[in-house]
Amino acid sequence: MAEAAAGAQRSQAASQGRLARVRQWLERAGSDGHERHTLALIGKSTLAAAVSWVIAHDVMAAQSPAFAPFSAVLIMQVTVYQSLVQALRYVGAVAVGVGLQGVLGLLAGPHLLTFVLVTLAALAIGRWRPLGSQGSQVATAAFFAFSTYVAATSEAQRWSQLGQIIVLVLIGCGIGVAVNTLVLPPLRYRSAEYGIHTLAHTLSDLVGDMYPALREGKLEKERTRQWRRRASHLAPIVQQAQSSVHTAWESTLYNPRRFRRRHRHRTSFDGYQAVVDALERVSNQVASMTRSLDQWHAEGTSQDYLDFARSYGDFLASLAHVAELLSQIDEEQLQDQVRRLCQAAAEAQQCRDQLEEEARASSLPLSDPAEPYGILMAEAIRLTDEFQHTCDVLKHGVDEAHATSTEPTAGSEHS
């Protein structure tokens, strides 16, 4: 009966799944999440395109008015800073492409040879690094310019229409940047937290799978090989976290929303960047640790071996707790979370000290480079130092933000 009920429930969910997902997506769009940012970007792009079209088509009566709305939508980016950068690159690419056509067209005329020469020069210049992702627009602009140049009936009309293309692009880019800056300018504080959450949660899961096996002395080849494989997959997650923090910082550049009262005393992104940098180093050290554990299979079942494995498991359990707390970072609760993080980091230091005492009291060959014990102890020191450094950086950032928010405003003592 339970299976039948479950099957009926799955069938009902499947029949209404699409509408349910749409409804849930719209509900999520009401919160400060990806869906809301997507709707805002679509709405702002539509507004910028509409204004650009009105100016280009109705006011200027341009021959190719689509250049303006196309440019406005093209440079509508996830941050104001990127909109400015891409606008400058795009205008530069279009100006170069149109200029190439103008110069070569004047020298060689509207012939196939001119088109070939323009194409060669545009494709070569498009690889110029400062143009970035807009490099391909050099050739695109040159092709449109050639089409306009060929269709014109006089030399004066040709130069007028080529100049008009650049003017339309400038109008579209200007409107796009203005709309992105003035209408719900994107401010991605939360993306820094999301990147840290994902990376710290992945580390917590990996270390959380390791310490129970170490406590029980179960280091089978298949198990340790799986740990090593999972650790090797941390690199792209680290890159995503770095990108998330960079996007969050970049979203504050030239953004008027950062001057609002609710955003004025935000915790510095230097703290988040330091956290991601520390977690990146932790990821490298965890990868080194899994390599050592994967090579640790010929020690037998001596008591010293079992004791060391159990103590190392206890130590990793304390690190998993720190990583779990980092995976729950929330700026609104950071002051209380930092206190718990520092406490957890101190407990990890104690576990590391106890591990070191027990290892030195045993007969294990800690100084033998052919054995994994010394390497594992070195990784334990580095891991605890990194987590402690992370907690110290966050605490410093919270203290600074608290001190700034409690400073009396000018003239407040006279009010």
Side-chain angles (χ1 to χ4, degrees), residues 268-303:
S268 170
F269 286 112
D270 293 340
Y272 285 143
Q273 184 64 61
V275 172
V276 174
D277 290 343
L279 289 177
E280 180 175 7
R281 293 189 291 270
V282 167
S283 299
N284 294 333
Q285 289 149 14
V286 168
S288 175
M289 181 175 61
T290 57
R291 286 194 296 270
S292 297
L293 291 173
D294 191 37
Q295 298 166 1
W296 191 19
H297 297 285
E299 297 298 324
T301 56
S302 68
Q303 191 59 45

PDB file of all heavy atoms in Angstrom, residues 268-303:
ATOM      1  N   SER A 268      33.806  43.603   5.047  1.00  0.00           N
ATOM      2  CA  SER A 268      34.692  43.762   3.899  1.00  0.00           C
ATOM      3  C   SER A 268      34.834  42.455   3.130  1.00  0.00           C
ATOM      4  O   SER A 268      34.891  41.379   3.708  1.00  0.00           O
ATOM      5  CB  SER A 268      36.075  44.213   4.382  1.00  0.00           C
ATOM      6  OG  SER A 268      37.009  44.148   3.344  1.00  0.00           O
ATOM      7  N   PHE A 269      34.918  42.583   1.791  1.00  0.00           N
ATOM      8  CA  PHE A 269      35.140  41.399   0.975  1.00  0.00           C
ATOM      9  C   PHE A 269      36.555  40.868   1.148  1.00  0.00           C
ATOM     10  O   PHE A 269      36.849  39.750   0.714  1.00  0.00           O
ATOM     11  CB  PHE A 269      34.865  41.722  -0.497  1.00  0.00           C
ATOM     12  CG  PHE A 269      33.412  41.844  -0.801  1.00  0.00           C
ATOM     13  CD1 PHE A 269      32.862  43.061  -1.146  1.00  0.00           C
ATOM     14  CD2 PHE A 269      32.582  40.741  -0.732  1.00  0.00           C
ATOM     15  CE1 PHE A 269      31.513  43.178  -1.431  1.00  0.00           C
ATOM     16  CE2 PHE A 269      31.233  40.845  -1.009  1.00  0.00           C
ATOM     17  CZ  PHE A 269      30.699  42.058  -1.356  1.00  0.00           C
ATOM     18  N   ASP A 270      37.437  41.668   1.746  1.00  0.00           N
ATOM     19  CA  ASP A 270      38.770  41.152   2.049  1.00  0.00           C
ATOM     20  C   ASP A 270      38.667  39.931   2.951  1.00  0.00           C
ATOM     21  O   ASP A 270      39.440  38.982   2.813  1.00  0.00           O
ATOM     22  CB  ASP A 270      39.619  42.234   2.714  1.00  0.00           C
ATOM     23  CG  ASP A 270      39.937  43.386   1.776  1.00  0.00           C
ATOM     24  OD1 ASP A 270      39.829  43.175   0.549  1.00  0.00           O
ATOM     25  OD2 ASP A 270      40.283  44.482   2.252  1.00  0.00           O
ATOM     26  N   GLY A 271      37.712  39.950   3.882  1.00  0.00           N
ATOM     27  CA  GLY A 271      37.513  38.807   4.764  1.00  0.00           C
ATOM     28  C   GLY A 271      37.055  37.593   3.999  1.00  0.00           C
ATOM     29  O   GLY A 271      37.587  36.481   4.187  1.00  0.00           O
ATOM     30  N   TYR A 272      36.074  37.759   3.121  1.00  0.00           N
ATOM     31  CA  TYR A 272      35.605  36.638   2.317  1.00  0.00           C
ATOM     32  C   TYR A 272      36.696  36.123   1.393  1.00  0.00           C
ATOM     33  O   TYR A 272      36.834  34.916   1.186  1.00  0.00           O
ATOM     34  CB  TYR A 272      34.386  37.060   1.492  1.00  0.00           C
ATOM     35  CG  TYR A 272      33.114  37.175   2.294  1.00  0.00           C
ATOM     36  CD1 TYR A 272      32.192  38.182   2.017  1.00  0.00           C
ATOM     37  CD2 TYR A 272      32.826  36.282   3.313  1.00  0.00           C
ATOM     38  CE1 TYR A 272      31.020  38.297   2.749  1.00  0.00           C
ATOM     39  CE2 TYR A 272      31.657  36.388   4.043  1.00  0.00           C
ATOM     40  CZ  TYR A 272      30.758  37.391   3.759  1.00  0.00           C
ATOM     41  OH  TYR A 272      29.594  37.488   4.483  1.00  0.00           O
ATOM     42  N   GLN A 273      37.472  37.036   0.807  1.00  0.00           N
ATOM     43  CA  GLN A 273      38.559  36.616  -0.067  1.00  0.00           C
ATOM     44  C   GLN A 273      39.589  35.820   0.710  1.00  0.00           C
ATOM     45  O   GLN A 273      40.108  34.802   0.221  1.00  0.00           O
ATOM     46  CB  GLN A 273      39.220  37.846  -0.705  1.00  0.00           C
ATOM     47  CG  GLN A 273      40.306  37.505  -1.718  1.00  0.00           C
ATOM     48  CD  GLN A 273      39.761  36.758  -2.912  1.00  0.00           C
ATOM     49  OE1 GLN A 273      38.916  37.259  -3.626  1.00  0.00           O
ATOM     50  NE2 GLN A 273      40.242  35.539  -3.123  1.00  0.00           N
ATOM     51  N   ALA A 274      39.885  36.266   1.929  1.00  0.00           N
ATOM     52  CA  ALA A 274      40.847  35.528   2.760  1.00  0.00           C
ATOM     53  C   ALA A 274      40.315  34.143   3.105  1.00  0.00           C
ATOM     54  O   ALA A 274      41.077  33.170   3.171  1.00  0.00           O
ATOM     55  CB  ALA A 274      41.140  36.320   4.036  1.00  0.00           C
ATOM     56  N   VAL A 275      39.006  34.033   3.325  1.00  0.00           N
ATOM     57  CA  VAL A 275      38.407  32.729   3.625  1.00  0.00           C
ATOM     58  C   VAL A 275      38.567  31.787   2.440  1.00  0.00           C
ATOM     59  O   VAL A 275      38.973  30.625   2.593  1.00  0.00           O
ATOM     60  CB  VAL A 275      36.919  32.884   3.992  1.00  0.00           C
ATOM     61  CG1 VAL A 275      36.247  31.518   4.101  1.00  0.00           C
ATOM     62  CG2 VAL A 275      36.762  33.618   5.309  1.00  0.00           C
ATOM     63  N   VAL A 276      38.257  32.284   1.240  1.00  0.00           N
ATOM     64  CA  VAL A 276      38.374  31.433   0.054  1.00  0.00           C
ATOM     65  C   VAL A 276      39.830  31.062  -0.200  1.00  0.00           C
ATOM     66  O   VAL A 276      40.138  29.911  -0.547  1.00  0.00           O
ATOM     67  CB  VAL A 276      37.776  32.142  -1.184  1.00  0.00           C
ATOM     68  CG1 VAL A 276      38.018  31.321  -2.434  1.00  0.00           C
ATOM     69  CG2 VAL A 276      36.284  32.357  -0.991  1.00  0.00           C
ATOM     70  N   ASP A 277      40.742  32.019  -0.021  1.00  0.00           N
ATOM     71  CA  ASP A 277      42.165  31.713  -0.200  1.00  0.00           C
ATOM     72  C   ASP A 277      42.622  30.637   0.790  1.00  0.00           C
ATOM     73  O   ASP A 277      43.364  29.711   0.427  1.00  0.00           O
ATOM     74  CB  ASP A 277      43.001  32.974  -0.006  1.00  0.00           C
ATOM     75  CG  ASP A 277      42.810  33.983  -1.130  1.00  0.00           C
ATOM     76  OD1 ASP A 277      42.303  33.585  -2.193  1.00  0.00           O
ATOM     77  OD2 ASP A 277      43.146  35.166  -0.925  1.00  0.00           O
ATOM     78  N   ALA A 278      42.155  30.761   2.039  1.00  0.00           N
ATOM     79  CA  ALA A 278      42.520  29.763   3.042  1.00  0.00           C
ATOM     80  C   ALA A 278      41.916  28.400   2.703  1.00  0.00           C
ATOM     81  O   ALA A 278      42.584  27.365   2.823  1.00  0.00           O
ATOM     82  CB  ALA A 278      42.060  30.218   4.430  1.00  0.00           C
ATOM     83  N   LEU A 279      40.664  28.392   2.264  1.00  0.00           N
ATOM     84  CA  LEU A 279      40.027  27.129   1.892  1.00  0.00           C
ATOM     85  C   LEU A 279      40.689  26.506   0.666  1.00  0.00           C
ATOM     86  O   LEU A 279      40.722  25.279   0.524  1.00  0.00           O
ATOM     87  CB  LEU A 279      38.535  27.343   1.644  1.00  0.00           C
ATOM     88  CG  LEU A 279      37.685  27.631   2.881  1.00  0.00           C
ATOM     89  CD1 LEU A 279      36.232  27.887   2.484  1.00  0.00           C
ATOM     90  CD2 LEU A 279      37.751  26.482   3.876  1.00  0.00           C
ATOM     91  N   GLU A 280      41.214  27.354  -0.210  1.00  0.00           N
ATOM     92  CA  GLU A 280      41.966  26.820  -1.350  1.00  0.00           C
ATOM     93  C   GLU A 280      43.226  26.098  -0.872  1.00  0.00           C
ATOM     94  O   GLU A 280      43.550  24.997  -1.343  1.00  0.00           O
ATOM     95  CB  GLU A 280      42.337  27.945  -2.306  1.00  0.00           C
ATOM     96  CG  GLU A 280      43.116  27.465  -3.530  1.00  0.00           C
ATOM     97  CD  GLU A 280      43.390  28.567  -4.531  1.00  0.00           C
ATOM     98  OE1 GLU A 280      43.094  29.741  -4.217  1.00  0.00           O
ATOM     99  OE2 GLU A 280      43.900  28.255  -5.625  1.00  0.00           O
ATOM    100  N   ARG A 281      43.927  26.709   0.081  1.00  0.00           N
ATOM    101  CA  ARG A 281      45.116  26.043   0.630  1.00  0.00           C
ATOM    102  C   ARG A 281      44.726  24.780   1.401  1.00  0.00           C
ATOM    103  O   ARG A 281      45.424  23.764   1.328  1.00  0.00           O
ATOM    104  CB  ARG A 281      45.879  27.014   1.527  1.00  0.00           C
ATOM    105  CG  ARG A 281      46.504  28.195   0.783  1.00  0.00           C
ATOM    106  CD  ARG A 281      47.424  29.005   1.661  1.00  0.00           C
ATOM    107  NE  ARG A 281      46.701  29.728   2.696  1.00  0.00           N
ATOM    108  CZ  ARG A 281      46.224  30.955   2.568  1.00  0.00           C
ATOM    109  NH1 ARG A 281      46.357  31.595   1.412  1.00  0.00           N
ATOM    110  NH2 ARG A 281      45.597  31.554   3.557  1.00  0.00           N
ATOM    111  N   VAL A 282      43.602  24.840   2.117  1.00  0.00           N
ATOM    112  CA  VAL A 282      43.121  23.653   2.822  1.00  0.00           C
ATOM    113  C   VAL A 282      42.822  22.534   1.822  1.00  0.00           C
ATOM    114  O   VAL A 282      43.139  21.363   2.057  1.00  0.00           O
ATOM    115  CB  VAL A 282      41.860  23.989   3.642  1.00  0.00           C
ATOM    116  CG1 VAL A 282      41.159  22.710   4.123  1.00  0.00           C
ATOM    117  CG2 VAL A 282      42.232  24.846   4.849  1.00  0.00           C
ATOM    118  N   SER A 283      42.225  22.892   0.690  1.00  0.00           N
ATOM    119  CA  SER A 283      41.908  21.888  -0.329  1.00  0.00           C
ATOM    120  C   SER A 283      43.177  21.216  -0.843  1.00  0.00           C
ATOM    121  O   SER A 283      43.214  19.991  -1.029  1.00  0.00           O
ATOM    122  CB  SER A 283      41.161  22.551  -1.495  1.00  0.00           C
ATOM    123  OG  SER A 283      39.949  23.128  -1.061  1.00  0.00           O
ATOM    124  N   ASN A 284      44.217  22.007  -1.066  1.00  0.00           N
ATOM    125  CA  ASN A 284      45.488  21.432  -1.520  1.00  0.00           C
ATOM    126  C   ASN A 284      46.077  20.501  -0.469  1.00  0.00           C
ATOM    127  O   ASN A 284      46.625  19.434  -0.787  1.00  0.00           O
ATOM    128  CB  ASN A 284      46.477  22.548  -1.841  1.00  0.00           C
ATOM    129  CG  ASN A 284      46.048  23.387  -3.033  1.00  0.00           C
ATOM    130  OD1 ASN A 284      45.343  22.907  -3.916  1.00  0.00           O
ATOM    131  ND2 ASN A 284      46.462  24.640  -3.071  1.00  0.00           N
ATOM    132  N   GLN A 285      45.974  20.904   0.798  1.00  0.00           N
ATOM    133  CA  GLN A 285      46.515  20.072   1.871  1.00  0.00           C
ATOM    134  C   GLN A 285      45.697  18.799   2.072  1.00  0.00           C
ATOM    135  O   GLN A 285      46.250  17.730   2.359  1.00  0.00           O
ATOM    136  CB  GLN A 285      46.582  20.888   3.160  1.00  0.00           C
ATOM    137  CG  GLN A 285      47.660  21.960   3.109  1.00  0.00           C
ATOM    138  CD  GLN A 285      47.337  23.187   3.916  1.00  0.00           C
ATOM    139  OE1 GLN A 285      46.427  23.177   4.737  1.00  0.00           O
ATOM    140  NE2 GLN A 285      48.062  24.270   3.683  1.00  0.00           N
ATOM    141  N   VAL A 286      44.386  18.906   1.917  1.00  0.00           N
ATOM    142  CA  VAL A 286      43.539  17.705   2.009  1.00  0.00           C
ATOM    143  C   VAL A 286      43.877  16.749   0.868  1.00  0.00           C
ATOM    144  O   VAL A 286      43.927  15.524   1.060  1.00  0.00           O
ATOM    145  CB  VAL A 286      42.046  18.097   1.984  1.00  0.00           C
ATOM    146  CG1 VAL A 286      41.164  16.865   1.770  1.00  0.00           C
ATOM    147  CG2 VAL A 286      41.654  18.781   3.285  1.00  0.00           C
ATOM    148  N   ALA A 287      44.123  17.295  -0.320  1.00  0.00           N
ATOM    149  CA  ALA A 287      44.518  16.448  -1.442  1.00  0.00           C
ATOM    150  C   ALA A 287      45.834  15.735  -1.150  1.00  0.00           C
ATOM    151  O   ALA A 287      45.984  14.536  -1.432  1.00  0.00           O
ATOM    152  CB  ALA A 287      44.638  17.282  -2.714  1.00  0.00           C
ATOM    153  N   SER A 288      46.797  16.458  -0.555  1.00  0.00           N
ATOM    154  CA  SER A 288      48.067  15.832  -0.175  1.00  0.00           C
ATOM    155  C   SER A 288      47.845  14.762   0.882  1.00  0.00           C
ATOM    156  O   SER A 288      48.459  13.690   0.837  1.00  0.00           O
ATOM    157  CB  SER A 288      49.030  16.910   0.332  1.00  0.00           C
ATOM    158  OG  SER A 288      50.217  16.330   0.824  1.00  0.00           O
ATOM    159  N   MET A 289      46.959  15.042   1.841  1.00  0.00           N
ATOM    160  CA  MET A 289      46.675  14.074   2.900  1.00  0.00           C
ATOM    161  C   MET A 289      46.042  12.802   2.333  1.00  0.00           C
ATOM    162  O   MET A 289      46.393  11.693   2.726  1.00  0.00           O
ATOM    163  CB  MET A 289      45.747  14.709   3.929  1.00  0.00           C
ATOM    164  CG  MET A 289      45.392  13.810   5.106  1.00  0.00           C
ATOM    165  SD  MET A 289      44.400  14.703   6.325  1.00  0.00           S
ATOM    166  CE  MET A 289      42.962  15.144   5.340  1.00  0.00           C
ATOM    167  N   THR A 290      45.124  12.947   1.387  1.00  0.00           N
ATOM    168  CA  THR A 290      44.496  11.749   0.810  1.00  0.00           C
ATOM    169  C   THR A 290      45.498  10.935   0.004  1.00  0.00           C
ATOM    170  O   THR A 290      45.397   9.698  -0.040  1.00  0.00           O
ATOM    171  CB  THR A 290      43.310  12.144  -0.091  1.00  0.00           C
ATOM    172  OG1 THR A 290      43.751  13.047  -1.118  1.00  0.00           O
ATOM    173  CG2 THR A 290      42.206  12.803   0.718  1.00  0.00           C
ATOM    174  N   ARG A 291      46.478  11.613  -0.622  1.00  0.00           N
ATOM    175  CA  ARG A 291      47.517  10.853  -1.329  1.00  0.00           C
ATOM    176  C   ARG A 291      48.335  10.025  -0.349  1.00  0.00           C
ATOM    177  O   ARG A 291      48.660   8.863  -0.614  1.00  0.00           O
ATOM    178  CB  ARG A 291      48.430  11.806  -2.103  1.00  0.00           C
ATOM    179  CG  ARG A 291      47.815  12.393  -3.358  1.00  0.00           C
ATOM    180  CD  ARG A 291      48.862  13.034  -4.248  1.00  0.00           C
ATOM    181  NE  ARG A 291      49.502  14.169  -3.592  1.00  0.00           N
ATOM    182  CZ  ARG A 291      49.065  15.416  -3.665  1.00  0.00           C
ATOM    183  NH1 ARG A 291      47.956  15.692  -4.347  1.00  0.00           N
ATOM    184  NH2 ARG A 291      49.710  16.403  -3.066  1.00  0.00           N
ATOM    185  N   SER A 292      48.649  10.634   0.806  1.00  0.00           N
ATOM    186  CA  SER A 292      49.416   9.891   1.813  1.00  0.00           C
ATOM    187  C   SER A 292      48.608   8.719   2.356  1.00  0.00           C
ATOM    188  O   SER A 292      49.143   7.612   2.531  1.00  0.00           O
ATOM    189  CB  SER A 292      49.811  10.826   2.956  1.00  0.00           C
ATOM    190  OG  SER A 292      50.664  11.861   2.509  1.00  0.00           O
ATOM    191  N   LEU A 293      47.337   8.938   2.613  1.00  0.00           N
ATOM    192  CA  LEU A 293      46.489   7.859   3.125  1.00  0.00           C
ATOM    193  C   LEU A 293      46.296   6.763   2.090  1.00  0.00           C
ATOM    194  O   LEU A 293      46.197   5.575   2.429  1.00  0.00           O
ATOM    195  CB  LEU A 293      45.127   8.426   3.548  1.00  0.00           C
ATOM    196  CG  LEU A 293      45.133   9.334   4.778  1.00  0.00           C
ATOM    197  CD1 LEU A 293      43.765   9.965   4.983  1.00  0.00           C
ATOM    198  CD2 LEU A 293      45.548   8.565   6.028  1.00  0.00           C
ATOM    199  N   ASP A 294      46.266   7.148   0.809  1.00  0.00           N
ATOM    200  CA  ASP A 294      46.092   6.152  -0.249  1.00  0.00           C
ATOM    201  C   ASP A 294      47.318   5.258  -0.390  1.00  0.00           C
ATOM    202  O   ASP A 294      47.227   4.150  -0.927  1.00  0.00           O
ATOM    203  CB  ASP A 294      45.803   6.868  -1.573  1.00  0.00           C
ATOM    204  CG  ASP A 294      45.356   5.904  -2.654  1.00  0.00           C
ATOM    205  OD1 ASP A 294      44.630   4.943  -2.330  1.00  0.00           O
ATOM    206  OD2 ASP A 294      45.722   6.118  -3.825  1.00  0.00           O
ATOM    207  N   GLN A 295      48.462   5.744   0.077  1.00  0.00           N
ATOM    208  CA  GLN A 295      49.690   4.949   0.001  1.00  0.00           C
ATOM    209  C   GLN A 295      49.984   4.213   1.307  1.00  0.00           C
ATOM    210  O   GLN A 295      51.028   3.584   1.447  1.00  0.00           O
ATOM    211  CB  GLN A 295      50.862   5.879  -0.334  1.00  0.00           C
ATOM    212  CG  GLN A 295      50.721   6.561  -1.687  1.00  0.00           C
ATOM    213  CD  GLN A 295      51.692   7.718  -1.864  1.00  0.00           C
ATOM    214  OE1 GLN A 295      52.489   7.993  -0.984  1.00  0.00           O
ATOM    215  NE2 GLN A 295      51.605   8.391  -3.005  1.00  0.00           N
ATOM    216  N   TRP A 296      49.061   4.275   2.257  1.00  0.00           N
ATOM    217  CA  TRP A 296      49.286   3.752   3.603  1.00  0.00           C
ATOM    218  C   TRP A 296      48.540   2.430   3.763  1.00  0.00           C
ATOM    219  O   TRP A 296      47.464   2.365   4.312  1.00  0.00           O
ATOM    220  CB  TRP A 296      48.781   4.782   4.613  1.00  0.00           C
ATOM    221  CG  TRP A 296      49.164   4.515   6.034  1.00  0.00           C
ATOM    222  CD1 TRP A 296      50.147   3.729   6.501  1.00  0.00           C
ATOM    223  CD2 TRP A 296      48.542   5.094   7.187  1.00  0.00           C
ATOM    224  NE1 TRP A 296      50.208   3.765   7.860  1.00  0.00           N
ATOM    225  CE2 TRP A 296      49.231   4.604   8.311  1.00  0.00           C
ATOM    226  CE3 TRP A 296      47.491   5.988   7.371  1.00  0.00           C
ATOM    227  CZ2 TRP A 296      48.880   4.960   9.617  1.00  0.00           C
ATOM    228  CZ3 TRP A 296      47.157   6.342   8.659  1.00  0.00           C
ATOM    229  CH2 TRP A 296      47.833   5.836   9.765  1.00  0.00           C
ATOM    230  N   HIS A 297      49.152   1.337   3.250  1.00  0.00           N
ATOM    231  CA  HIS A 297      48.445   0.061   3.296  1.00  0.00           C
ATOM    232  C   HIS A 297      49.316  -1.103   3.755  1.00  0.00           C
ATOM    233  O   HIS A 297      48.839  -2.221   3.803  1.00  0.00           O
ATOM    234  CB  HIS A 297      47.881  -0.277   1.904  1.00  0.00           C
ATOM    235  CG  HIS A 297      46.871   0.703   1.427  1.00  0.00           C
ATOM    236  ND1 HIS A 297      45.592   0.767   1.901  1.00  0.00           N
ATOM    237  CD2 HIS A 297      46.978   1.692   0.503  1.00  0.00           C
ATOM    238  CE1 HIS A 297      44.936   1.743   1.303  1.00  0.00           C
ATOM    239  NE2 HIS A 297      45.765   2.329   0.453  1.00  0.00           N
ATOM    240  N   ALA A 298      50.551  -0.838   4.108  1.00  0.00           N
ATOM    241  CA  ALA A 298      51.457  -1.948   4.430  1.00  0.00           C
ATOM    242  C   ALA A 298      51.904  -1.924   5.882  1.00  0.00           C
ATOM    243  O   ALA A 298      52.952  -2.437   6.229  1.00  0.00           O
ATOM    244  CB  ALA A 298      52.674  -1.903   3.518  1.00  0.00           C
ATOM    245  N   GLU A 299      51.101  -1.278   6.744  1.00  0.00           N
ATOM    246  CA  GLU A 299      51.524  -1.112   8.131  1.00  0.00           C
ATOM    247  C   GLU A 299      51.033  -2.220   9.054  1.00  0.00           C
ATOM    248  O   GLU A 299      51.363  -2.249  10.224  1.00  0.00           O
ATOM    249  CB  GLU A 299      51.025   0.244   8.650  1.00  0.00           C
ATOM    250  CG  GLU A 299      51.602   1.437   7.922  1.00  0.00           C
ATOM    251  CD  GLU A 299      53.106   1.515   8.075  1.00  0.00           C
ATOM    252  OE1 GLU A 299      53.612   1.169   9.165  1.00  0.00           O
ATOM    253  OE2 GLU A 299      53.775   1.912   7.120  1.00  0.00           O
ATOM    254  N   GLY A 300      50.173  -3.101   8.527  1.00  0.00           N
ATOM    255  CA  GLY A 300      49.656  -4.176   9.385  1.00  0.00           C
ATOM    256  C   GLY A 300      48.645  -3.647  10.379  1.00  0.00           C
ATOM    257  O   GLY A 300      47.964  -2.658  10.144  1.00  0.00           O
ATOM    258  N   THR A 301      48.575  -4.289  11.529  1.00  0.00           N
ATOM    259  CA  THR A 301      47.589  -3.891  12.549  1.00  0.00           C
ATOM    260  C   THR A 301      48.276  -3.711  13.898  1.00  0.00           C
ATOM    261  O   THR A 301      47.759  -4.125  14.934  1.00  0.00           O
ATOM    262  CB  THR A 301      46.476  -4.960  12.655  1.00  0.00           C
ATOM    263  OG1 THR A 301      47.075  -6.233  12.928  1.00  0.00           O
ATOM    264  CG2 THR A 301      45.672  -5.033  11.372  1.00  0.00           C
ATOM    265  N   SER A 302      49.456  -3.075  13.891  1.00  0.00           N
ATOM    266  CA  SER A 302      50.145  -2.832  15.159  1.00  0.00           C
ATOM    267  C   SER A 302      49.344  -1.857  16.001  1.00  0.00           C
ATOM    268  O   SER A 302      48.555  -1.065  15.480  1.00  0.00           O
ATOM    269  CB  SER A 302      51.550  -2.280  14.895  1.00  0.00           C
ATOM    270  OG  SER A 302      51.458  -0.983  14.339  1.00  0.00           O
ATOM    271  N   GLN A 303      49.570  -1.894  17.294  1.00  0.00           N
ATOM    272  CA  GLN A 303      48.816  -1.033  18.197  1.00  0.00           C
ATOM    273  C   GLN A 303      49.122   0.436  17.956  1.00  0.00           C
ATOM    274  O   GLN A 303      48.224   1.289  17.998  1.00  0.00           O
ATOM    275  CB  GLN A 303      49.135  -1.408  19.650  1.00  0.00           C
ATOM    276  CG  GLN A 303      48.215  -0.753  20.662  1.00  0.00           C
ATOM    277  CD  GLN A 303      46.753  -1.113  20.437  1.00  0.00           C
ATOM    278  OE1 GLN A 303      46.410  -2.267  20.209  1.00  0.00           O
ATOM    279  NE2 GLN A 303      45.887  -0.099  20.475  1.00  0.00           N
TER     280      GLN A 303
END
